[in-house]
Amino acid sequence: CGADAARHVFEVACFAGLERCEFDPFDSHQAHVVKQIKAAFDDAARDGGPCGTRLSALLRLALETGKAARDGKSVRAINTLRGKALDAVALATARQEVAAAVEERVLEPAVLKAAEAYAALDAGPRLRELSELADEAVA
C-alpha cells in the first residue's frame, strides 16, 4: 500500500469513481461507497481476517476521507450546493468547484497522512532491531 494506492482508494471514497462534474455530496448512492468500505473493514476485523496494519490504516483513512468529502464543515464549498436550483451547466460547474475543494482540503491531506502512517509503520521494525543491537552492545 503506497501513496498511489492510497490516493486511488481515497478518490473512490470521495468521488465514488465518478467524474468531478458528477460529484454530489448529498447523493446517498455516492455515499454508499463509503458504507461498503466500512462494511468490508468491519467484516475483516470481526472475522479476525488478514487485515494487516497497512491495510487497516488505509481503510480507516479512506473512511475518514469519504466522510469528510461530504461534510460541509470540512469543505465549506459544499454549502454552496445546498438548496440551490441550478441549470445543468451551472450545476456541473458548481460540482467541479466543490470537487476541487474536496481534493485540496480532504484528499491531498489524507494522502500525506497515509504516507506518514506508512513511514511510521515501516520505521517500527527497524527501530526495534536497532534497539536490540544497542542492548546487545551494552550487555
Side-chain angles (χ1 to χ4, degrees):
C1 290
D4 290 338
R7 176 181 304 284
H8 179 75
V9 172
F10 298 160
E11 284 178 349
V12 170
C14 287
F15 303 117
L18 300 172
E19 295 296 322
R20 300 304 192 255
C21 64
E22 298 174 301
F23 174 64
D24 183 354
F26 308 115
D27 184 343
S28 63
H29 292 99
Q30 291 179 26
H32 187 68
V33 170
V34 176
K35 291 178 185 174
Q36 290 175 332
I37 293 170
K38 181 169 179 12
F41 182 64
D42 289 346
D43 287 349
R46 181 181 55 249
D47 297 338
C51 189
T53 53
R54 291 176 78 85
L55 182 57
S56 177
L58 175 69
L59 292 176
R60 284 181 197 277
L61 284 170
L63 291 172
E64 290 174 18
T65 304
K67 289 178 184 177
R70 289 163 177 77
D71 181 15
K73 292 178 184 174
S74 297
V75 183
R76 297 215 182 266
I78 288 173
N79 297 322
T80 63
L81 291 175
R82 195 177 303 276
K84 299 266 175 133
L86 302 172
D87 64 48
V89 173
L91 181 60
T93 300
R95 286 179 174 172
Q96 283 182 309
E97 290 170 0
V98 170
V102 166
E103 199 158 346
E104 177 185 333
R105 297 181 184 270
V106 177
L107 184 68
E108 292 303 326
V111 171
L112 291 175
K113 191 173 181 180
E116 291 169 359
Y118 294 157
L121 288 171
D122 291 342
R126 182 68 180 141
L127 291 175
R128 280 192 293 280
E129 182 182 317
L130 291 173
S131 177
E132 290 170 5
L133 287 173
D135 290 345
E136 289 173 11
V138 173

